Amino acid sequence: MEGVSSLDEPLKKLLGGATAKVMAEHLGLHTVGDLLHHYPRRYEERGKLTALTDLPLDEHVTVVAQVADARVLTFNNGRGRRLEVTLTDGSGRLQLVFFGHGVHKPHKELLPGRQAMFAGKVSVFNRKMQLAHPTYQLLDSSDADEASEAVDAFAGRLLPIYPACKQLDSWRIAKAVDAVLPSARDAVDPLPASLREGRGFTPLPEALLKVHRPQTGADVEDARARLKWDEAFVLQVALARRRYADTQLPAAARRRAADGLLDAFDAKLPFTLTEGQEKVSKEIFDDLATEHPMHRLLQGEVGSGKTMVALRAMLAVVDAGGQAAMLAPTEVLAQQHHRSITEMMGELAEGGMLGGSDRGTKVVLLTGSMGAAARRQALLDLVTGEAGIVIGTHALIEDKVRFHDLGLVVVDEQHRFGVEQRDALRSKGKQPPHLLVMTATPIPRTVAMTVFGDLETSVLDQLPAGRSPIASHVVPAKDKPHFLARAWERVREEVENGHQAYVVCPRIGDDAEDEKKGKAKKAAEEDPDKRPPLAVLEIADELRGGALSGLSVEVLHGRMHPDEKDDVMRRFAAGDVDVLVATTVIEVGVNVPNATAMVIMDADRFGVSQLHQLRGRVGRGSAPGLCLLVSEAHEASPARARLSAVAATLDGFELSRIDLEQRREGDVLGQAQSGVRSSLRMLTVIDDEEVIAAAREEAAAVVAADPELERLPELRTVLAALLDKEREEYLDKG
């Protein structure tokens, strides 16, 4: 390992405290190396103007444009002044507005014909796009010194536009980059020489210079191709080392036994498995029969029968003398899984009990809110091996829980489950148990290769027969209030036809939220678009007293007592409740085939995969489902585009691609990505499928030849920096 390189220098040494502080707090940049890897988002050619026609609403943008017109208007009987400047770029126009004392300087400088860079947040006023109080930098100043300085700052013919924030404009970031650029020559090159030469890549220091200060478009292409590869390769090496380490671990092989519990279960199934379920089950049984721990990701649409596949794997392990544990993210879901699994197994779930099958086993539930006696019995059944299957929340992971012989861990909804927790459960086997991770949020293949690169992937993409289609529509509550009134009429019609409905809100609206609400209220007074999200308790009251009066309307949210939650769910499932107003606690696993309609309030406050997940709760029976996405978002906003995408397709894989394209990796991959996130700067998981696949192959070859990377000290150095211990562990478990 080498000593501290100049890339590890803290930014405040070079840039001064104030700038360094903003960079650390708002852009997550702490060292010279961080700033060198803060790449321009795009480049403007001097004299060629950006298209003002496709500016994203509510985003912080930098535009290069020409002043077409500037005028000072007075209001408040001459007491207030505002400067309105119209910019043009040949494709469209954009309005700038300055108020009060901020009018003087721009009034003198922004004269018609002048060209400048402007940075600010895009908003809509009177149906026109505008920037209020933007910062700007003249590009053709009449003051010769200032003009030459502006030109020198962007000496290349291409103007780099950096991802910026309100506190720091793109051109200030460009100046800071100039200060650290000389350090690029110390960059440690992670690519093995043979790979670099074989693919004809630009050396790393040169790539960094070219990406920040390109002379031509070809420079940008060169640099990007190289920097993308670095990211993909280093990440895939980390994952390949994980996979390699796993193949070195011992595990007990759990081979499927004939005439055991699994055969008895299959014999009493009232339907045949889909082809997809058969194929995926075979992959899992093959993995379970090997002497290394299985690490498999099972992904499939809501309702594609993942639980059935997981249960059959659990039964095979019990047949082979082991125990299986299923981990659910919430108590409601753990109870639901326990209920549906014991129902599916019937007397086979009553092993050792009177009337139970002699081939059966005990299926126990273990959650945090269980009574002491029930809990004691469950723990006893686990340690003696009486219970072959346990279903629970992270209560399963506590130190007190001991297994007789844990052979398989099934984790439901991986992205909600802390990695440390999964590991703690893994450590409860005599040897590492096999692991099956289930997720109902379909993940595009490239993302799976990046985020779950240490897991083999199985996909269930057929829906079992008998599932109904779901119609989805966006309801623009602000522009067309009568559409919302019609939405409530539709809910009433569904109830009159003997069905039930969900209404989902982003917030609960109880005392614990009041403090937040105080802040939100203050923000809303300053900006009416910032009202707090709609709340379950408030909406339920409004509906009982108004649009849905006379129907039985109940609430469900995470702060209710577990017994209370269970009671409401049971009554809803039994058909005694017409409309359930809930938070996203219903997002996963709640199965009420008679519920046919769902109204999602403030739908723009949810992510694409979450909306898809929620929608999957309706249309689970033979009657068609209806999902109404209510939103006050502006028609041109990214939020509305997201909702239209959800309304347009029921294909979860397609939606997860759209989600990625719109929000980029960071948010979509959420926690699973936490260890990797900061390493993806240039690579976009969705567009760079070939790079990721090629890097994965190269990485696997490198690791197979030299698992400890002894012959590649530079790669080791870069890995250590990228995956400091904590991140490496996150990937380990992620």
Side-chain angles (χ1 to χ4, degrees), residues 191-447:
L191 296 189
S194 57
L195 168 62
R196 204 165 57 228
E197 285 147 22
R199 291 185 176 262
F201 284 133
T202 306
L204 182 58
E206 192 186 321
L208 289 169
L209 285 170
K210 280 181 170 177
V211 80
H212 288 292
R213 296 294 171 262
Q215 296 293 312
T216 61
D219 283 355
V220 176
E221 288 309 301
D222 262 9
R224 284 198 159 150
R226 166 66 219 247
L227 296 167
K228 275 180 183 179
W229 248 90
D230 282 20
E231 284 175 15
F233 181 72
V234 172
L235 182 57
Q236 293 300 341
V237 167
L239 292 166
R241 289 183 74 188
R242 259 319 303 142
R243 288 195 299 277
Y244 179 82
D246 284 338
T247 61
Q248 306 307 301
L249 289 174
R254 310 282 174 173
R255 291 187 185 82
R256 187 181 168 171
D259 291 336
L261 193 51
L262 180 58
D263 284 351
F265 175 77
D266 283 350
K268 63 193 273 307
L269 274 182
F271 50 82
T272 53
L273 297 172
T274 65
E275 235 173 278
Q277 285 174 319
E278 291 279 15
K279 178 174 115 331
V280 170
S281 290
K282 183 181 180 325
E283 291 171 350
I284 291 172
F285 293 144
D286 290 349
D287 278 359
L288 289 172
T290 62
E291 294 180 354
H292 302 296
M294 162 172 88
H295 284 117
R296 192 167 277 283
L297 173 71
L298 171 58
Q299 51 168 336
E301 285 289 4
V302 177
S304 56
K306 293 184 296 293
T307 311
M308 172 61 71
V309 168
L311 175 56
R312 293 183 72 242
M314 287 157 68
L315 296 175
V317 167
V318 174
D319 275 342
Q323 289 169 296
M326 182 185 243
L327 225 52
T330 63
E331 296 214 348
V332 171
L333 200 53
Q335 288 159 347
Q336 173 111 15
H337 276 316
H338 182 252
R339 205 174 302 141
S340 63
I341 282 174
T342 46
E343 276 167 19
M344 284 197 268
M345 287 176 64
E347 75 281 5
L348 296 174
E350 296 162 3
M353 297 187 227
L354 209 59
S357 158
D358 52 351
R359 279 190 293 192
T361 186
K362 249 188 189 181
V363 178
V364 300
L365 176 69
L366 190 62
T367 62
S369 64
M370 278 168 80
R375 191 180 167 77
R376 234 187 344 267
Q377 184 59 53
L379 291 172
L380 187 65
D381 288 341
L382 283 179
V383 75
T384 59
E386 188 87 359
I389 294 178
V390 57
I391 294 152
T393 53
H394 32 258
L396 274 179
I397 294 165
E398 289 168 16
D399 293 345
K400 294 191 281 294
V401 181
R402 292 271 173 278
F403 289 86
H404 176 64
D405 180 13
L406 179 61
L408 169 67
V409 176
V410 179
V411 180
D412 187 15
E413 283 301 311
Q414 192 275 348
H415 59 279
R416 309 179 161 241
F417 216 86
V419 159
E420 296 69 26
Q421 297 162 313
R422 211 192 320 166
D423 253 30
L425 191 54
R426 241 188 220 178
S427 65
K428 291 187 179 290
K430 294 173 183 164
Q431 289 182 319
H434 298 282
L435 175 70
L436 181 64
V437 173
M438 299 198 294
T439 171
T441 308
I443 306 165
R445 175 173 156 265
T446 34
V447 182

Side-chain angles (χ1 to χ4, degrees), residues 556-596:
L556 181 70
H557 59 74
R559 286 213 194 90
M560 288 162 63
H561 187 276
D563 295 347
E564 219 184 328
K565 274 194 280 204
D566 232 35
D567 175 54
V568 171
M569 263 330 294
R570 214 173 286 122
R571 287 186 298 118
F572 186 63
D576 302 338
V577 174
D578 298 323
V579 179
L580 188 62
V581 184
T583 54
T584 53
V585 290
I586 60 150
E587 178 182 351
V588 279
V590 173
N591 189 16
V592 180
N594 191 43
T596 52

Side-chain angles (χ1 to χ4, degrees), residues 43-254:
Y43 304 85
E44 289 295 352
E45 287 179 39
R46 279 191 159 311
K48 174 176 172 261
L49 304 181
T50 167
L52 296 179
T53 43
D54 38 5
L55 290 179
L57 199 60
D58 288 341
E59 276 190 34
H60 200 83
V61 299
T62 302
V63 298
V64 176
Q66 200 162 24
V67 177
D69 176 55
R71 60 188 62 195
V72 173
L73 305 170
T74 57
F75 55 94
N76 257 357
N77 293 330
R79 287 197 298 279
R81 301 175 72 218
R82 89 170 170 266
L83 170 66
E84 284 187 2
V85 179
T86 307
L87 302 182
T88 175
D89 68 347
S91 77
R93 291 178 164 251
L94 176 68
Q95 192 102 37
L96 311 181
V97 56
F98 299 88
F99 290 102
H101 297 302
V103 165
H104 305 302
K105 188 168 183 262
H107 190 209
K108 286 208 308 264
E109 296 183 333
L110 298 177
L111 305 171
R114 275 288 175 79
Q115 199 182 354
M117 274 193 291
F118 301 90
K121 192 172 176 190
V122 184
S123 57
V124 167
F125 182 71
N126 276 343
R127 299 207 169 268
K128 279 193 196 142
M129 295 280 212
Q130 73 164 24
L131 300 182
H133 279 284
T135 51
Y136 61 90
Q137 167 114 348
L138 296 170
L139 293 178
D140 57 356
S141 170
S142 51
D143 171 340
D145 291 348
E146 202 177 312
S148 71
E149 197 180 306
V151 173
D152 288 348
F154 309 101
R157 278 179 285 278
L158 292 170
L159 231 50
I161 306 290
Y162 287 91
C165 60
K166 193 165 114 196
Q167 296 76 3
L168 206 60
D169 305 320
S170 169
W171 50 90
R172 294 212 179 94
I173 295 171
K175 279 189 170 146
V177 169
D178 285 336
V180 301
L181 216 45
S183 305
R185 60 174 178 270
D186 299 334
V188 178
D189 200 323
L191 296 189
S194 57
L195 168 62
R196 204 165 57 228
E197 285 147 22
R199 291 185 176 262
F201 284 133
T202 306
L204 182 58
E206 192 186 321
L208 289 169
L209 285 170
K210 280 181 170 177
V211 80
H212 288 292
R213 296 294 171 262
Q215 296 293 312
T216 61
D219 283 355
V220 176
E221 288 309 301
D222 262 9
R224 284 198 159 150
R226 166 66 219 247
L227 296 167
K228 275 180 183 179
W229 248 90
D230 282 20
E231 284 175 15
F233 181 72
V234 172
L235 182 57
Q236 293 300 341
V237 167
L239 292 166
R241 289 183 74 188
R242 259 319 303 142
R243 288 195 299 277
Y244 179 82
D246 284 338
T247 61
Q248 306 307 301
L249 289 174
R254 310 282 174 173

